[in-house]
């Protein structure tokens, strides 16, 4: 028998040869990995925190479904859930879908279009430009679709089951359709806006306004979520009155789709449903038209290096150069101070963290100062003091989260080369940044409320003083074990961090806001005792930090890492 006809023992005539993926499939897989494993969503390719965040964003819909179960299943003889309370329940899921998809699109603002790595790695390959574009569009569509379904699947399944309506399949379809339209509208609105700006604006101007747009987008989304109780309480009044502003409120459009599919024709919701469908189709059309144009222009600008051109000194930079030498006298501290400021403005992850936290604070402050009436939004100045305290609190933790976001740790050896062992005067610069930022923002807010008549002239200095003092104590407490200059070392997290963060934001935050408002209304004698206690606590925390640095602190870099200074200067890769 010829040797070639002898079959091996592992030969399986049924086993088919492995499928070899094509170019487009490989390209889409690569772009999807780039979308998921970037500095915005993961640190050093670790997706665990991103997956935990995704699960955390999906859980509120499950909790809302479980809470609504006893409401829809009252004992026999009790009144059933009315039409408008049910509409309020539906509004929550629609508003949450708008919030989640809009927040993800705004947070991923810088990765939805190609960056320098994508351009310089993929463009030189022997691949058609149209294939690169279509693969990018397909990857972005898969990423957003998976996010939309993953964050809303629990609500789509469990809320109709908890409500127990007669036609459960019909309820599931109504819930799915309205949430789908809301999520698609939110993400395509962000994409269309970004496509229009990239098409008509220069790269330099686009990079300048990006932080402002991200903060504004997050602010609108968090304001939408924080005003949910106010809107639900006035839902019937708003939709049955003759006011026209409610017809231009996007969440009501998709609530109209939900109610129209669920219960049939209804005068308040027919027009709203039509507007929701038209608005979604319009944003999809604008995205389809502008994305390819913006994509090609983005690639061309990156190839030409327009973003790397020298920037002119603007008015803000001139003011900063004048003020910084007076508030930071030490030249080493001044250098680290400028490094922090430039990194905050230019790096995507710290910028996004500030936008998220600051938007939460402004949205909560906005919700505490408004009431919703049929004629529109009415302001009540009774919440001015708590608004100042809320914004200062969230700004403090916004900067803390931004400072803990690593940018590129491979160059962190340069600080050790220049400064040697980190000294307290260098590590305290992040405290200076936080305190000066809170001082500036609280002063600006207090002056604005004073001009509007929301606070008195005597409350103006008290509000600024209390907010600044609380910011100093907060930075002293959380910075007592600081061991690195901001952005040069990843924050080490433990399994207990998230429960402690939940306690901080759900328990400490309301308690602290309540007491800060009381402190702002104290007389001079009690205020003097309070400030004395704060100063004693401040000195104690400073002494604790100095003792820790003297005994346990062993530098910014881990000596066990062979890739760090001075072995290879962090250049091994």
């Amino acid at each position: 028998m010829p040797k070639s006809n002898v079959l091996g023992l592992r030969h399986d005539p049924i086993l088919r040869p492995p499928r070899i993926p094509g170019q487009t499939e490989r390209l889409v897989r690569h772009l999807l990995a780039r979308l998921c494993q970037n500095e915005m969503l993961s640190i050093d390719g670790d997706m665990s925190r991103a997956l935990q965040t995704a699960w955390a964003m999906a859980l509120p819909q499950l909790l809302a479904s479980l809470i609504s179960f006893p409401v829809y299943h009252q004992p026999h003889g009790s009144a059933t859930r009315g039409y408008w309370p049910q509409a309020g329940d539906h509004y929550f899921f629609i508003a949450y879908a708008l919030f989640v998809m809009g927040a993800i699109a705004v947070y991923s603002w810088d990765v939805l279009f190609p960056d320098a790595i994508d351009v310089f790695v993929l463009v030189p390959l022997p691949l058609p430009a149209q294939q690169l574009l279509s693969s990018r569009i397909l990857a972005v569509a898969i990423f957003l679709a998976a996010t939309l379904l993953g964050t809303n699947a629990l609500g789509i399944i469990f809320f109709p089951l908890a409500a127990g309506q007669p036609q459960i399949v019909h309820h599931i379809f109504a819930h799915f359709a309205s949430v789908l339209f809301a999520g698609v509208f939110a993400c395509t609105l962000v994409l269309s806006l970004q496509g229009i700006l990239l098409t008509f604006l220069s790269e330099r101007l686009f990079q300048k306004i990006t932080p402002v747009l991200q903060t504004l987008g997050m602010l609108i989304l968090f304001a939408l979520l924080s005003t949910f109780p106010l809107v639900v309480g006035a839902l019937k009044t708003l939709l049955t009155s003759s006011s026209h502003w409610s017809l231009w409120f996007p969440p009501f459009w998709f609530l109209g789709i939900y109610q129209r599919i669920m219960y049939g024709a209804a005068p308040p919701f027919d027009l709203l449903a039509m507007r929701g469908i038209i608005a979604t189709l319009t944003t999809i059309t604008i995205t389809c038209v502008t994305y390819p144009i913006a994509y090609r222009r983005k690639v061309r600008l990156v190839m030409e290096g327009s973003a790397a051109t020298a920037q002119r000194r603007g008015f803000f930079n001139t003011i900063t150069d004048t003020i910084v030498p007076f508030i930071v006298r030490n030249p080493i501290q001044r250098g680290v101070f400028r490094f922090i400021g430039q990194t905050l403005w230019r790096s995507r992850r710290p910028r996004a963290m500030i936008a998220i936290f600051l938007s939460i604070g402004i949205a909560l402050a906005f919700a505490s100062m408004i009431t919703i009436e049929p004629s529109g939004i009415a302001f009540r100045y009774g919440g001015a003091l708590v608004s100042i305290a809320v914004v200062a609190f969230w700004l403090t933790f916004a900067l803390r989260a931004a400072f803990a976001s690593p940018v590129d740790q491979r160059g962190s050896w340069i600080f050790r080369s220049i400064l040697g062992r980190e000294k307290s005067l260098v590590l305290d610069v992040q405290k200076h940044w936080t305190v000066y930022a809170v001082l500036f923002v609280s002063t600006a807010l207090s002056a604005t409320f004073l001009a509007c008549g929301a606070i008195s002239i005597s409350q103006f200095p008290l509000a600024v003083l209390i907010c600044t003092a609380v910011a100093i104590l907060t930075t002293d407490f959380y910075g007592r074990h600081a061991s690195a200059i901001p952005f040069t070392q990843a924050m080490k997290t433990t399994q207990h961090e998230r429960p402690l963060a939940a306690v901080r934001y759900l328990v400490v935050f309301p308690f602290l806001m309540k007491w800060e408002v009381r402190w702002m209304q104290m007389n001079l004698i009690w205020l003097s005792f309070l400030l004395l206690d704060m100063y004693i606590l401040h000195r104690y925390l400073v002494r604790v930090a100095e003792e820790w640095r003297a005994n346990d602190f062993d530098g910014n870099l881990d000596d066990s890492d062979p890739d760090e200074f001075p072995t290879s200067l962090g250049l091994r890769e």
Side-chain angles (χ1 to χ4, degrees):
M1 179 182 295
K3 186 176 180 180
S4 59
N5 294 334
V6 178
L7 300 179
L9 295 177
R10 296 183 179 180
H11 175 73
D12 187 356
I14 304 178
L15 184 64
R16 296 180 180 179
R19 186 181 67 87
I20 301 177
Q23 281 187 348
T24 302
E25 182 180 348
R26 291 183 178 181
L27 195 57
V28 171
R29 288 176 179 270
H30 169 75
L31 293 174
L32 274 175
R34 287 278 300 152
L35 285 172
C36 298
Q37 298 178 2
N38 59 80
E39 65 172 331
M40 301 297 294
L41 300 178
S42 62
I43 300 176
D44 297 332
D46 183 13
M47 290 293 298
S48 59
R49 290 181 64 88
L51 293 176
Q52 291 174 4
T53 304
W55 278 108
M57 297 178 74
L59 281 178
Q61 298 199 34
L62 176 61
L63 295 177
S65 302
L66 296 177
I67 292 173
S68 64
F69 182 85
V71 177
Y72 283 89
H73 297 80
Q74 296 290 336
H76 294 289
S78 302
T80 58
R81 191 88 168 150
Y83 178 81
W84 288 105
Q86 289 187 36
D89 298 338
H90 303 161
Y91 174 84
F92 166 76
F93 292 95
I94 292 169
Y96 193 77
L98 279 169
F99 164 76
V100 169
M101 292 308 301
I104 290 175
V106 172
Y107 186 75
S108 305
W109 178 281
D110 295 300
V111 300
L112 296 177
F113 283 83
D115 57 8
I117 296 179
D118 293 329
V119 172
F120 289 117
V121 171
L122 297 179
V123 171
L125 297 178
L127 297 173
Q130 188 63 32
Q131 186 180 11
L132 292 175
L133 173 60
S134 59
S135 299
R136 163 71 65 170
I137 294 175
L138 184 57
V140 171
I142 293 174
F143 173 74
L144 294 177
T147 305
L148 175 61
L149 294 177
T151 54
N152 293 280
L154 295 177
I156 294 173
I157 297 173
F158 287 100
F159 178 70
L161 294 175
Q165 298 295 326
Q167 298 179 346
I168 188 170
V169 177
H170 191 66
H171 192 180
I172 292 176
F173 175 72
H175 192 113
F176 172 77
S178 58
V179 167
L180 177 65
F181 271 93
V184 171
F185 171 79
C187 57
T188 53
L189 179 63
V190 175
L191 279 172
S192 60
L193 176 62
Q194 193 173 2
I196 292 172
L197 294 177
L198 280 172
T199 302
F200 294 102
L201 298 183
S202 64
E203 176 73 4
R204 182 167 171 266
L205 180 59
F206 178 78
Q207 293 297 334
K208 279 191 172 184
I209 66 175
T210 290
V212 179
L213 293 177
Q214 282 184 309
T215 305
L216 183 61
M218 287 294 184
L219 173 59
I220 294 174
L221 292 169
F222 279 109
L224 171 66
L225 198 63
S226 62
T227 56
F228 160 75
L230 300 176
V231 174
V232 170
L235 188 61
K236 181 179 179 180
T237 305
L238 292 173
L239 293 179
T240 55
S241 63
S242 58
S243 61
H244 296 285
W245 74 269
S246 59
L247 299 178
W248 298 99
F249 189 51
F252 288 168
W253 300 344
F254 307 104
L255 179 61
I257 295 176
Y258 201 129
Q259 300 298 108
R260 183 67 176 81
I261 298 176
M262 188 72 183
Y263 301 106
F269 296 110
D270 292 339
L271 179 60
L272 293 172
M274 183 59 63
R275 289 193 177 187
I277 295 173
I278 293 175
T280 305
L281 295 178
T282 301
T283 55
I284 292 175
T285 303
I286 296 175
T287 302
C288 294
V289 172
T290 59
Y291 191 92
I293 302 173
Y295 173 89
R296 292 188 176 93
R297 191 166 187 268
K298 178 75 172 180
V299 171
R300 187 179 75 252
L301 292 174
V302 173
M303 293 292 290
E304 294 174 354
S306 62
T309 56
Q311 297 184 0
R312 294 172 291 179
R313 304 296 292 175
F315 176 76
F316 179 78
N317 291 327
T318 304
I319 296 296
T320 303
D321 293 341
T322 305
I323 295 177
V324 169
F326 291 96
I327 61 177
V328 184
R329 308 303 296 268
N330 187 284
I332 298 179
Q333 287 185 324
R334 195 181 309 143
V336 178
F337 192 91
R338 292 181 182 275
F339 164 75
I340 293 174
Q342 293 179 359
T343 306
L344 280 176
W345 183 257
R346 296 176 181 177
S347 301
R348 297 183 296 187
R349 186 182 178 93
R351 193 173 62 199
M353 298 303 295
I354 291 179
I356 292 174
F357 279 78
L358 191 58
S359 299
I360 295 175
I362 298 176
L364 292 175
F366 178 75
S368 66
M369 292 189 62
I370 67 168
T371 56
I372 298 180
E373 300 176 355
S375 58
I377 297 176
F379 287 89
R380 52 184 182 89
Y381 294 131
L385 290 178
V386 70
S387 299
I388 299 172
V390 166
V391 174
F393 175 90
W394 286 99
L395 177 60
T396 302
F397 284 94
L399 292 173
R400 179 176 178 268
F403 293 157
S405 302
V407 177
D408 192 348
Q409 303 175 57
R410 291 174 296 179
S412 60
W413 57 268
I414 190 66
F415 291 98
R416 190 166 188 175
S417 176
I418 295 174
L419 305 175
R421 181 180 293 270
E422 312 283 4
K423 298 296 188 295
S424 296
L425 61 89
V426 177
L427 295 176
D428 288 341
V429 175
Q430 56 182 315
K431 297 183 182 180
H432 299 164
W433 242 101
T434 304
V435 172
Y436 289 140
V438 172
L439 176 63
F440 174 78
V441 171
S442 59
T443 303
L445 283 176
S446 301
T448 303
F449 288 139
L450 178 63
C452 297
I455 62 176
S456 62
I457 188 67
S458 60
Q459 292 175 333
F460 172 78
L462 291 179
V464 176
L465 183 61
I466 294 299
C467 290
T468 307
V470 172
I472 292 174
L473 293 179
T474 303
T475 53
D476 286 337
F477 179 78
Y478 286 102
R480 67 191 188 279
H481 292 165
S483 60
I485 294 174
F487 314 117
T488 61
Q489 187 179 43
M491 181 175 62
K492 297 180 180 180
T493 59
T494 63
Q495 60 180 352
H496 306 293
E497 178 194 356
R498 289 188 180 273
L500 291 177
V503 171
R504 179 169 63 238
Y505 297 129
L506 298 179
V507 179
V508 177
F509 166 66
F511 178 80
L512 184 60
M513 294 303 100
K514 178 181 178 180
W515 280 100
E516 280 195 48
V517 173
R518 290 187 179 182
W519 295 339
M520 293 176 188
Q521 299 171 343
M522 278 184 172
N523 57 41
L524 186 59
I525 298 177
W526 287 107
L527 181 64
S528 301
F529 284 109
L530 175 65
L531 293 178
L532 179 61
D533 293 338
M534 287 184 171
Y535 178 76
I536 295 174
L537 181 59
H538 164 68
R539 294 307 307 170
Y540 171 75
L541 293 174
V542 170
R543 188 179 65 180
V544 169
E546 291 176 350
E547 291 178 355
W548 182 84
R549 291 167 186 169
N551 298 329
D552 301 328
F553 176 59
D554 58 353
N556 180 23
L557 300 172
D558 186 3
D559 296 334
S560 63
D561 191 347
D563 288 338
E564 290 296 357
F565 178 84
T567 306
S568 62
L569 300 183
L571 303 177
R572 176 164 297 185
E573 296 184 2

